Amino acid sequence: MEITNVTEYQAIAKQKLPKMIYDYYASGAEDEWTLQENREAFARILFRPRILIDVSKIDMTTTILGFKLSMPIMISPTAMQKMAHPDGEYATARAASAAGTIMTLSSWATSSVEEVASTGPGIRFFQLYVYKDRRVVEQLVRRAEKAGFKAIALTVDTPRLGRREADIKNRFVLPQNLTLKNFEGLDLGKMDQANDSGLASYVAGQIDRTLSWKDVKWLQSITTMPILVKGVITAEDSRLAVENGAAGIIVSNHGARQLDYVPATISALEEVVKAARGQIPVFLDGGVRRGTDVFKALALGAAGVFIGRPVVFSLAVAGEAGVSNVLKMLRDEFELTMALSGCNSLADITRNHVVTEADKFGVMPSRL
């Protein structure tokens, strides 16, 4: 069967992967209301395309934290990619590099920062979980920096793991042949079988629940890498991120895997963007499956988007080629959306190109 869009990879991945692994990637927290809403909220945003504009040349390039990218579509951190495919994070890194975009490596990767760096050149960010043992964190940050990673994406929405019922039912645990490679030498690389989710037990034992804004300052003191705060969904926290020296914000609800009944990230985006007042870039993570989604996020003020599940599902189906295809399909769809909306460059995409639920129910903002 020919794959014609990003979503089609999920059903094929479901057939291919063991249930425990597919469920780990696919599921959300509790009722999975936010999981569904991350997608559905995009469907409630409509376009106001402009016509009779010369769109013979479309430029999708952008600069993120000073790095030139081919497009504003980047790869989110997703854990344990070798569960999806033997090449795991290596394949993802190569696909991102070939596409001229950024890969974010998860702390809980099944390949180490050094291994991923060995795949060749590329702009890579490192997602960080703060462990109770700060020496572990310090060592990991130094290793990422030494391996040429360009920024830290600090996950701030996980003092405890969300309740993912599929993982509890499946007694999820990292398969025996794999380890959390970044922690292998520290005896933190293995996950014990538990009477619920093995990952939930691991997080309860290792991840620091005391994490607060002062730790963002501490992180700045141990690295020169810029710090992106991943997991902001309110204006209040957007302001605090700016005040505490964050280099950027990733609006994220952790793929709807942490607190259920938070808004879709696309619904929270504008509030966060307005509060940041243009002082730092704001990115969107969550629910992006179409080029139209990318355009909607940029119209609402995002500097770029991150994709998570499409990467692991396409990786499961076709390895590096699958991830490359997802990036290509999103790129092509986004280019077409720009052309049909009358935009030649990212700078041409404005708030007037979309209409949201808030616009419909509130006072329609004056367009002229």
Side-chain angles (χ1 to χ4, degrees), residues 286-357:
V288 173
R289 302 292 180 271
R290 285 276 187 193
T292 48
D293 300 334
V294 181
F295 187 101
K296 288 169 183 179
L298 268 62
L300 293 174
V305 304
F306 286 87
I307 54 165
R309 286 186 184 88
V311 171
V312 289
F313 292 141
S314 59
L315 184 64
V317 173
E320 182 185 340
V323 180
S324 289
N325 194 38
V326 157
L327 292 169
K328 183 186 187 301
M329 286 190 295
L330 286 173
R331 181 194 173 87
D332 291 348
E333 288 178 13
F334 178 51
E335 184 176 20
L336 181 59
T337 306
M338 283 179 69
L340 297 179
S341 296
C343 299
N344 290 294
S345 71
L346 303 192
D348 294 337
I349 303 173
T350 69
R351 182 62 174 81
N352 285 341
H353 283 101
V354 294
V355 57
T356 65
E357 295 283 271

Side-chain angles (χ1 to χ4, degrees), residues 16 21 79 84 155 159 162 203 211 250 265 322 348 365:
K16 258 190 113 157
I21 292 170
T155 297
V203 169
L211 191 69
I250 302 174
T265 47
D348 294 337

Side-chain angles (χ1 to χ4, degrees), residues 92-111:
T92 304
R94 288 191 291 257
S97 181
T101 193
I102 290 167
M103 172 200 185
T104 316
L105 182 71
S106 170
S107 274
W108 295 337
T110 38
S111 313

Side-chain angles (χ1 to χ4, degrees), residues 168-181:
I168 297 170
K169 282 188 172 64
N170 294 332
R171 301 278 187 263
F172 174 80
V173 71
L174 183 65
Q176 273 298 290
N177 59 320
L178 301 174
T179 57
L180 301 180
K181 275 283 183 184

